[in-house]
Amino acid sequence: FSTKRCLFCIVINESLSELENRYHKMSPAKRQLGAVVVDDNHSDDDRVLGYVQMATFGMPTYPMNLHSCQKDEMYIEILGVSSDARGRGVGSRLLEWCQETAINYNEDIKRLTLEVLRGNRAIGLYERMGFEARTVDCCDEACGSVLVCCLLGRPYGFCNPSWGSLEMEMFLDRGKRTKMEMIGR
């Protein structure tokens, strides 16, 4: 799986039971902000094709509270799609679920946010789904780049405008029906 743990991608292959075991310590409120897409046709254990976990104001974020949610924000902290499920709409379905969940969570939530490594091809998907890059001040940009550099080393940290991480957000339109609502899911 490609995830945003610590603002970078790592590979994880988990079954549904392994994923459930990893998240069993999470609060029920936090688990409600997560979704999993499974392959029902897999023989032994349902194979996870993709998953997403979100957080909102007052909830801890993964990893280790590196992001503090504002009252009007729902943050996508992890979004992963199995490499053999990419290009099959799994990421789009998960993002649509995120949008619908954020809209229905409470009236205070006005935007979805996420952070992704610059150069990650998922940025195109995020943009197609309505996310836009946020402008951050140079101090935040430098701190984020140093963090990524310390965790991954060059070239992901700094010294090039295409390195580091990118904050993205989508403002929610409560009057607009989501794709999930239009198809009745």
Side-chain angles (χ1 to χ4, degrees), residues 6-8 117 141-159 163-165:
C6 300
L7 312 178
F8 63 96
L117 278 179
E141 181 72 23
C143 289
S145 293
V146 168
L147 177 64
V148 172
C149 183
C150 290
L151 292 171
L152 296 175
R154 290 174 116 170
Y156 294 106
F158 50 91
C159 305
W163 298 341
S165 63

Side-chain angles (χ1 to χ4, degrees), residues 86-104:
R86 291 191 183 131
R88 295 175 34 196
V90 173
S92 297
R93 299 270 318 257
L94 287 168
L95 288 169
E96 289 165 2
W97 180 88
C98 290
Q99 182 182 7
E100 182 177 332
T101 301
I103 287 171
N104 294 322

Side-chain angles (χ1 to χ4, degrees), residues 65-129:
N65 297 318
L66 286 178
H67 182 86
S68 295
C69 291
Q70 303 299 309
K71 288 184 179 183
D72 71 337
E73 169 189 22
M74 188 157 297
Y75 178 67
I76 300 172
E77 60 186 31
I78 296 175
L79 174 64
V81 175
S82 172
S83 57
D84 43 326
R86 291 191 183 131
R88 295 175 34 196
V90 173
S92 297
R93 299 270 318 257
L94 287 168
L95 288 169
E96 289 165 2
W97 180 88
C98 290
Q99 182 182 7
E100 182 177 332
T101 301
I103 287 171
N104 294 322
Y105 187 75
N106 74 39
E107 291 294 319
D108 294 335
I109 305 298
K110 307 288 185 223
R111 59 195 175 101
L112 273 174
T113 62
L114 58 84
E115 193 163 353
V116 62
L117 278 179
R118 293 180 191 273
N120 185 325
R121 67 183 188 168
I123 292 171
L125 170 63
Y126 301 146
E127 289 172 339
R128 284 192 303 278
M129 297 298 294

Side-chain angles (χ1 to χ4, degrees), residues 129-142:
M129 297 298 294
F131 285 87
E132 295 180 355
R134 283 187 47 208
T135 303
V136 296
D137 71 21
C138 62
C139 291
D140 285 345
E141 181 72 23

